[in-house]
């Protein structure tokens, strides 16, 4: 199993960014744990087009089994990322650290949800593990 984890804008600041919402754990620690489950590649960008390019690059590569994507604020705004997800062949699981449905109204809408395999939100950085496990077990069943 090989899974690509993509993080969007501001998620490079995990561990320092609004810890009351996003916790104190760093992405490095989270990746360390994910790598005990399967092979994990990681990509982070603060730029919408870079995320689109990354989805194009990996999305037709069947040496990967799926993509876990936390698009950050682009979740709520980016038709370009939604179109890229719709265009590619690999399954994408949408992830959020916080429970976006319990936050400001603008975060309730996801443009990418309709084209993702599923959504995991609200479990802190454990959301990434749950999404990786969904791809692992989804593949087996
Ligand atoms: C987030 C939720 C988004 O609304 C926000 O813009 C983020 C992080 C989350 O993981 O909870 O940057 O995707």
């Amino acid at each position: 199993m090989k899974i690509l984890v993509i993080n969007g804008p501001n998620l490079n600041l995990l561990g320092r960014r609004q810890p009351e919402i996003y916790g104190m754990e760093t992405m490095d620690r989270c990746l360390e744990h994910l790598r005990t489950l399967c092979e994990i590649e990681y990509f982070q960008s603060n730029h919408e087009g870079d995320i689109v390019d990354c989805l194009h690059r990996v999305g037709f590569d069947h040496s990967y089994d799926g993509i876990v994507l936390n698009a950050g604020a682009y979740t709520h705004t980016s038709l370009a990322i939604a179109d890229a997800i719709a265009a590619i062949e690999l399954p994408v699981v949408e992830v959020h650290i916080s429970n976006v449905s319990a936050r400001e109204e603008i975060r309730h809408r996801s443009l990418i949800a309709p084209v993702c395999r599923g959504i995991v939100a609200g479990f802190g950085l454990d959301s990434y593990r749950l999404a990786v496990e969904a791809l692992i077990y989804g593949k087996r069943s």
Side-chain angles (χ1 to χ4, degrees), residues 53-103:
D53 286 343
C54 181
L55 287 164
H56 291 180
R57 194 165 56 245
V58 170
F60 296 91
D61 178 349
H62 288 276
S63 72
Y64 288 84
D65 297 288
I67 297 171
V68 166
L69 170 63
N70 186 346
Y74 287 139
T75 304
H76 318 296
T77 62
S78 180
L79 195 54
I81 291 176
D83 283 350
I85 295 167
I88 63 177
E89 291 172 354
L90 293 183
V92 176
V93 179
E94 174 181 347
V95 160
H96 300 287
I97 297 161
S98 62
N99 179 358
V100 279
S101 299
R103 297 182 63 192

